[in-house]
Amino acid sequence: MKKTSRQLQKEQTKELLIKTAFKLFSERGFLSTRISDIAGAAGVSHGTVFVHFPSLDALMAEVIEVYVGKIAQRTHELADSGKTLREVLCAHLNGIQEYEPFYTALVTENRQLPPPARDAWVTLQSVISLHFSRAVQRETEAGKIIPIPTSLLFNMWLGLVHHYLANTDLFAPGGKVIERYGETLIDNYLKLLASKGAE
């Protein structure tokens, strides 16, 4: 059935609000952005936002779901053909890089986000974890990396990346952390894991 012009306009307005909120969340963070900021930047009335989203939490959750989905999909596409742990780590960083300011806001504010938004965040980590654990298993069995529980290795990797992102002002003021430190993080993380026989 063909959509009416009103339905199309409603969909376009909703998409505009999601894109505008994404931009503001990336620039200001989630907790510093208000509905009125989003409405003003989108050029719509405050009430128009509530036609599409019952609350800021609902809008936030949808924006996170949409863009975390894009990051997860991109990471999955890049990592799916990756056989080595290095390739998977590169895919992870490349998946983040396009959306780095938004991802950084998630890293720094995720514990204060509403539950649906946090669920989307956990889903993203699960996608990465799947590819990561497969690569770790292959390389541990081949004697390339020392045997350490995969969950610990994964948390070490995320902790390293998230520490750099959460401290962008220290590591890459006015720039991008992944662009500046991505290769260094991967190289040194892998050196920590290399078994003596693989050196």
Side-chain angles (χ1 to χ4, degrees):
M1 191 168 112
K2 191 174 178 182
K3 293 180 181 177
T4 65
S5 60
R6 181 169 169 76
Q7 288 171 319
L8 290 171
Q9 183 180 10
K10 192 172 180 180
E11 286 175 9
Q12 289 169 350
T13 302
K14 184 175 182 179
E15 188 176 329
L16 171 66
L17 291 170
I18 289 170
K19 286 180 178 176
T20 303
F22 165 77
K23 184 176 184 295
L24 292 178
F25 293 151
S26 299
E27 292 171 357
R28 302 177 182 184
F30 296 94
L31 304 177
S32 298
T33 303
R34 300 171 308 196
I35 288 277
S36 57
D37 299 327
I38 296 164
V44 300
S45 72
H46 193 268
T48 298
V49 180
F50 290 107
V51 168
H52 298 278
F53 302 98
S55 66
L56 178 58
D57 282 1
L59 173 55
M60 196 181 293
E62 184 140 355
V63 170
I64 290 170
E65 188 175 319
V66 167
Y67 284 92
V68 159
K70 290 181 184 210
I71 296 168
Q73 181 60 37
R74 186 68 182 132
T75 302
H76 177 68
E77 288 166 4
L78 292 166
D80 204 32
S81 60
K83 300 298 179 201
T84 68
L85 184 54
R86 177 178 291 279
E87 289 169 329
V88 170
L89 299 179
C90 284
H92 180 212
L93 295 185
N94 288 336
I96 293 170
Q97 192 167 13
E98 185 178 347
Y99 304 100
E100 187 174 319
F102 180 75
Y103 188 91
T104 300
L106 280 170
V107 167
T108 57
E109 299 180 24
N110 83 77
R111 293 192 64 189
Q112 299 164 7
L113 297 177
R118 287 197 52 131
D119 291 346
W121 173 248
V122 170
T123 299
L124 173 60
Q125 305 315 319
S126 298
V127 168
I128 299 156
S129 175
L130 172 70
H131 294 287
F132 182 94
S133 52
R134 287 176 181 167
V136 165
Q137 183 178 355
R138 282 191 298 271
E139 295 197 14
T140 302
E141 288 170 357
K144 293 181 179 179
I145 62 175
I146 54 178
I148 298 175
T150 304
S151 60
L152 185 58
L153 290 178
F154 183 64
N155 289 332
M156 285 169 54
W157 170 247
L158 284 184
L160 179 64
V161 173
H162 291 178
H163 174 72
Y164 271 73
L165 289 170
N167 293 286
T168 298
D169 58 328
L170 299 175
F171 295 113
K176 303 284 179 102
V177 167
I178 304 297
E179 184 180 300
R180 188 166 179 187
Y181 288 101
E183 284 300 316
T184 302
L185 294 177
I186 292 169
D187 289 344
N188 287 287
Y189 177 76
L190 292 175
K191 281 179 189 173
L192 292 172
L193 307 186
S195 68
K196 290 187 179 180
E199 291 175 349

